[in-house]
Amino acid sequence: MSDQAITPFHAALQHGPRPLPLFLDMLRSETAASPARQRLALAGLAAYQNADRGGRRRLGRVRNRRGRAMLRDYGGAGQPVLFIPSLINPPFILDLTRRQSLLRWLAARGVRTLLLDWGTPAAGDHAMDIGDHVDRLLVPLIRKLESPPILVGYCLGGTIAAAAACLTPVAGLAMIAAPWHFAGFGDAARARIAALWARARPVCEAMGLVPMEVLQTGFWQLDPARTIAKYEAFASMPPDSDAARSFVALEDWANAGAPLTFAAGRALFEDFIAEDLPGSGRWRIGDTTIDPFALACPTIDFVSMSDRIVPAASAARFSDCRELGAGHVGMVVGSRARTQLWSPLADWISGVEEAR
């Protein structure tokens, strides 16, 4: 790959992929045997960075705040349903586009829909671990609501939602593509993650933050060939097609995201992935052992059987466990999301409301 090929992309760094140098190295490696593929992938990258993104994204209005965290209101009526995204990526995966918004779809059907926005941590928040995010940010926001909500957590947000449900009364708990038994990631993956963290930890500790580039590097290692192939495919998409607009929105989400506090990153890599404190029953917040299997409220687990990011073996698997064919992200925004996840989730929420 020539310097001339790389240079044009520096002007559009704000659109990722992040970290761009690593992405370009990966692109070079994956297409080394095919100059034609390399040109196509670079064309797809240029098309992504220069794509028309329209107006500024508008999430639901802010209803309540606790520190940097916010509850965003999407409307609806009745029992509040609070969606909790991961700490790792932005919350708008649940409100990706007008056609791919689980939150707006539920609100349009009358569900009282709220979204937690974690905000952006500063270096001064470095000592706030994952338990602190639950106890000091999420739980106080839950207690401000007019009645105990149904919690719906996605990815690491599901793990966090389970903890919140153990600390304060809630009406129900749904976990979507959420890890609980972190040993289920497997020895090889956990070893790769441990090596990544060992390299990044000293700099992150000095910064007081874990930049999302550290986490993105780990995600790309899962399937580098697929990461490059999707940019090759994008090069051939009509720019005004639904598929192209969806690709841009999804990549913008994947390449965005605030950093983690250092303590939250340490807890994720060391306490969760390495030691499996949640899955082994040893995760405590204050004096409370976090045990979602002891909850009295209704619980449900939506598990992707083709998840490359959160393997099915890591799921909590409540007695009500729904296995889906779509992947980690596809189950929320893919072409089959409405039938595989949105509608079953809406039916479950209705059942919880009727049972109260």
Side-chain angles (χ1 to χ4, degrees):
M1 189 185 303
S2 68
D3 290 341
Q4 287 92 345
I6 296 174
T7 300
F9 303 111
H10 290 302
L13 285 176
Q14 69 272 23
H15 293 314
R18 294 168 57 193
L20 183 60
L22 177 61
F23 179 87
L24 292 172
D25 283 345
M26 190 166 59
L27 189 154
R28 180 188 293 112
S29 175
E30 291 297 321
T31 62
S34 175
R37 283 190 59 208
Q38 188 173 101
R39 288 192 295 271
L40 192 61
L42 285 169
L45 177 56
Y48 164 66
Q49 292 186 321
N50 294 309
D52 180 7
R53 285 162 170 79
R56 184 179 177 183
R57 174 179 302 280
R58 293 185 180 275
L59 298 177
R61 68 176 179 86
V62 176
R63 171 177 174 170
N64 288 317
R65 294 179 182 269
R66 174 74 175 189
R68 58 183 160 85
M70 298 161 275
L71 282 191
R72 295 187 176 276
D73 196 333
Y74 281 80
Q79 182 75 43
V81 180
L82 174 54
F83 283 78
I84 303 168
S86 175
L87 289 171
I88 294 172
N89 288 109
F92 66 81
I93 187 62
L94 300 167
D95 182 21
L96 189 64
T97 68
R98 289 187 178 183
R99 295 177 59 255
Q100 297 167 288
S101 175
L102 169 58
L103 302 183
R104 295 183 191 275
W105 184 84
L106 285 171
R109 281 152 181 76
V111 176
R112 182 81 178 91
T113 309
L114 302 165
L115 171 67
L116 176 67
D117 184 339
W118 292 108
T120 301
D125 297 323
H126 65 93
M128 180 177 280
D129 67 12
I130 293 176
D132 292 328
H133 280 74
V134 179
D135 190 42
R136 292 164 51 186
L137 298 180
L138 176 54
V139 167
L141 285 170
I142 290 173
R143 290 174 177 167
K144 286 184 179 181
L145 296 174
E146 59 272 18
S147 61
I150 296 170
L151 300 184
V152 182
Y154 173 60
C155 190
L156 185 62
T159 316
I160 289 171
C166 294
L167 296 179
T168 195
V170 300
L173 170 66
M175 299 174 72
I176 301 172
W180 186 258
H181 300 285
F182 285 81
F185 279 72
D187 292 341
R190 293 165 85 195
R192 287 195 301 271
I193 293 169
L196 171 67
W197 178 236
R199 293 192 298 271
R201 192 187 198 280
V203 174
C204 294
E205 187 169 15
M207 294 172 60
L209 298 168
V210 182
M212 70 82 57
E213 284 85 351
V214 173
L215 303 160
Q216 184 78 304
T217 298
F219 294 148
W220 284 348
Q221 288 177 352
L222 295 172
D223 196 344
R226 183 174 180 272
T227 299
I228 301 306
K230 66 184 180 182
Y231 276 88
E232 294 178 67
F234 181 64
S236 302
M237 292 182 190
D240 60 347
S241 65
D242 287 342
R245 285 191 287 268
S246 177
F247 178 90
V248 170
L250 193 53
E251 286 300 293
D252 281 354
W253 168 78
N255 288 294
L260 296 179
T261 64
F262 173 74
R266 189 210 59 77
L268 174 62
F269 287 113
E270 298 177 21
D271 295 343
F272 286 15
I273 296 174
E275 296 295 328
D276 191 17
L277 295 191
S280 62
R282 294 178 292 137
W283 185 22
R284 295 179 63 84
I285 299 178
D287 296 329
T288 303
T289 298
I290 304 304
D291 181 7
F293 303 96
L295 291 172
C297 67
T299 57
I300 190 170
D301 199 3
F302 292 92
V303 180
S304 165
M305 301 307 293
S306 57
D307 200 327
R308 292 184 176 90
I309 296 172
V310 177
S314 70
R317 291 196 171 272
F318 297 132
S319 58
D320 190 351
C321 180
R322 314 289 177 90
E323 296 181 348
L324 282 64
H328 185 80
V329 177
M331 67 192 296
V332 178
V333 297
S335 60
R336 295 179 292 169
R338 293 195 186 195
T339 56
Q340 289 203 4
L341 175 66
W342 296 10
S343 291
L345 176 61
D347 291 343
W348 179 82
I349 290 170
S350 295
V352 173
E353 292 176 334
E354 291 170 0
R356 286 182 64 82

